[in-house]
Amino acid sequence: MAASVTMENSLRILRSEREALGIVASPDLDPYGIGVIGEEFTPLTTTLGHLEDKIASANPLFAAALVGEFRRMGLKGGDSVAIGASGSFPGLLVAVLSACDAMELRPLLICSLGSSMYGANRVGFNVVDMVKLLEDRGSLDFEFLGFSLGGDDDRYDAPLFPEWRDLTLDEALRLASEERFIHEDSLGKSVEVRMSLYDEASGGEIGCFVGVGGASVTFGDSDQSASFPGGTTSKPFESMPSEGLLSRFLRSGIPVIHLLCVRDLCDRWSIPYGDNPLNWRNHRFSRR
């Protein structure tokens, strides 16, 4: 309950800030006034996406579900949780951070700016802006280790609209004045930098890795993202992608949580899909 309330309050802060910045989503895109629903195509849009998934992913019951997953792993206060998040599902990222807050875990966060449609794809209010705002307002606490461009090869190498590439680079440079900008010349090196940052920040003691969205660096190849099972995976399996963060952590004996296919996650955790997510208190949470 505490995790869900924290997530609800965090979403309220983000909605208020968007309004203060004059960013108002169309009622067709954000009929419930959630405040974290983006536009269809912007310079930060890297892939297609489903609006219904973005709406459902903002349900605070996801924070409660993740508390359950962390507990089943045996995590306890002070344990480090490595988090890799694209901009695709800001609601799910807030859920992860809220669950960590409720359990007094140590979130170690690295973000990528790329987002699928309707995610945190607003220039000037991207996923890094969102989480840093929540940290500044005292809603969430985490260690921010850096960010990257995201997209193909974690370098925005194949933008949907090449004419917008310079705008994305400008956005990264704006953030790089205060945060570490991960911009390697290959996907493999980007994975290695992240592993090193997580290892250094945690003292080599990571309790779990959570991948939010379908970033290339998470899977080694974004085309393989849908082949990875949603929810918690504790052991390596034969057909898993070979190069990304999910596989690297599993091969190191560290369990992972994959958050991408929202409808499947809703079915798994008995979270409503297609309803107003802000009415979460009207639904009973299943611990299955």
Side-chain angles (χ1 to χ4, degrees), residues 70-87:
F70 290 151
R71 281 178 170 169
R72 278 186 280 276
M73 291 178 185
L75 298 184
K76 59 185 183 301
D79 287 347
S80 295
V81 175
I83 304 167
S86 72

Side-chain angles (χ1 to χ4, degrees), residues 39-41 45-54 88-89 115-119 121 160 260 273:
E39 295 296 320
E40 186 175 33
F41 295 113
T45 305
T46 54
T47 55
L48 304 180
H50 300 288
L51 178 59
E52 295 82 0
D53 285 357
K54 306 307 166 94
S88 295
F89 292 95
S115 167
S116 55
M117 294 159 52
Y118 314 115
N121 60 3
L160 292 179
L260 177 63
Y273 186 96

Side-chain angles (χ1 to χ4, degrees), residues 42-47 54 85-90 111-117 119-122 126-128 147-152 154-156 168 171-172 175 194 212-216:
T42 77
L44 299 181
T45 305
T46 54
T47 55
K54 306 307 166 94
S86 72
S88 295
F89 292 95
C111 291
S112 55
L113 298 184
S115 167
S116 55
M117 294 159 52
N121 60 3
R122 290 274 194 167
N126 59 58
V127 64
V128 176
F147 76 97
S148 67
L149 289 172
D152 281 7
D154 204 33
R155 292 174 50 87
Y156 200 67
T168 303
E171 188 78 337
L175 298 169
R194 281 168 164 74
V212 183
S216 294

